[in-house]
Amino acid sequence: MRLHIKRQLQQLQPTQWNEKTEHVHAQLFLSSIWQHATTIGITMSMPNEINTRPIIEKGWEQGKHIAVPKVNPSSHTLHFYSLTDFAQTKVEYAGISEPDSSLTTIIPKEKFDLIIVPGIAFDKDKYRIGYGGGYYDRFLQNIGASTCALLFDFQLYERLPREKHDIPLQRLITESFIL
């Protein structure tokens, strides 16, 4: 399933990719969870993921407090750090841009209003298949923040395989609708 979705993402033409991404961004910005959130956790996107840079910039423009995760591979945990400038990041674990912890401060998980969770495939019950590390499922345990994911319509399935530790999200935002 991961390979199938990755191939579909790679086959999108740049104009299709940009158009779909703009629609996803627009859906997010119009949503009540975005409009009411003041502290937002969001990843720095990788190639073949919906670009999060414009979302981070929009959050800054609107006076929102943005935090991005840093992975600790030895403990399989995520910690989110405040981000006020992209110069506070560096390429770290698995080639992902992460906050430079010497330039930023950690944000406790109870401070978040919204966590935007990455993934590859999603289902109509709002479960997801991520990248296989289980970092977000551990982080999302007992969280009070709203949760959502950004995806293209073709990344949505009727039902995905699940494991006991999987945590469903509250919303899925595509270029066509919010579930």
Side-chain angles (χ1 to χ4, degrees):
M1 193 172 287
R2 281 186 179 107
L3 289 174
H4 174 71
I5 293 292
K6 285 180 180 181
R7 276 191 222 109
Q8 283 186 285
L9 290 166
Q10 290 168 349
Q11 290 172 357
L12 280 177
Q13 296 299 315
T15 53
Q16 291 174 301
W17 183 278
N18 292 337
E19 184 178 306
K20 287 177 177 294
T21 296
E22 287 176 14
H23 287 292
V24 171
H25 290 169
Q27 293 273 43
L28 173 65
F29 298 143
L30 290 173
S31 72
S32 61
I33 58 171
W34 174 267
Q35 292 175 2
H36 297 297
T38 56
T39 303
I40 299 168
I42 186 170
T43 59
M44 301 284 294
S45 55
M46 300 268 295
N48 291 323
E49 288 182 337
I50 292 173
N51 188 0
T52 59
R53 191 177 184 105
I55 297 168
I56 294 167
E57 290 170 339
K58 180 78 152 186
W60 289 336
E61 286 172 23
Q62 294 180 347
K64 297 182 186 292
H65 191 187
I66 303 295
V68 296
K70 182 172 184 62
V71 171
N72 183 334
S74 61
S75 64
H76 294 282
T77 57
L78 285 178
H79 295 285
F80 280 78
Y81 289 80
S82 180
L83 188 72
T84 57
D85 190 296
F86 291 114
Q88 295 170 315
T89 64
K90 60 184 178 180
V91 176
E92 293 275 353
Y93 178 73
I96 300 169
S97 285
E98 292 186 330
D100 181 338
S101 56
S102 69
L103 301 175
T104 59
T105 56
I106 198 164
I107 304 298
K109 70 192 251 179
E110 61 273 4
K111 297 288 186 187
F112 288 99
D113 302 305
L114 173 62
I115 304 288
I116 300 173
V117 181
I120 296 172
F122 304 84
D123 74 17
K124 293 183 177 180
D125 292 326
K126 299 176 215 75
Y127 284 89
R128 67 183 192 72
I129 291 179
Y131 295 91
Y135 293 95
Y136 273 89
D137 288 314
R138 279 186 283 283
F139 182 81
L140 294 176
Q141 290 175 358
N142 304 314
I143 194 150
S146 295
T147 59
C148 74
L150 310 176
L151 60 142
F152 296 138
D153 290 343
F154 64 80
Q155 292 176 271
L156 183 63
Y157 288 80
E158 192 65 38
R159 185 171 168 87
L160 294 173
R162 298 178 189 155
E163 296 181 26
K164 289 179 187 176
H165 66 271
D166 290 341
I167 295 177
L169 302 175
Q170 294 170 337
R171 289 179 181 82
L172 301 178
I173 300 175
T174 78
E175 72 268 28
S176 302
F177 59 90
I178 295 177
L179 178 66

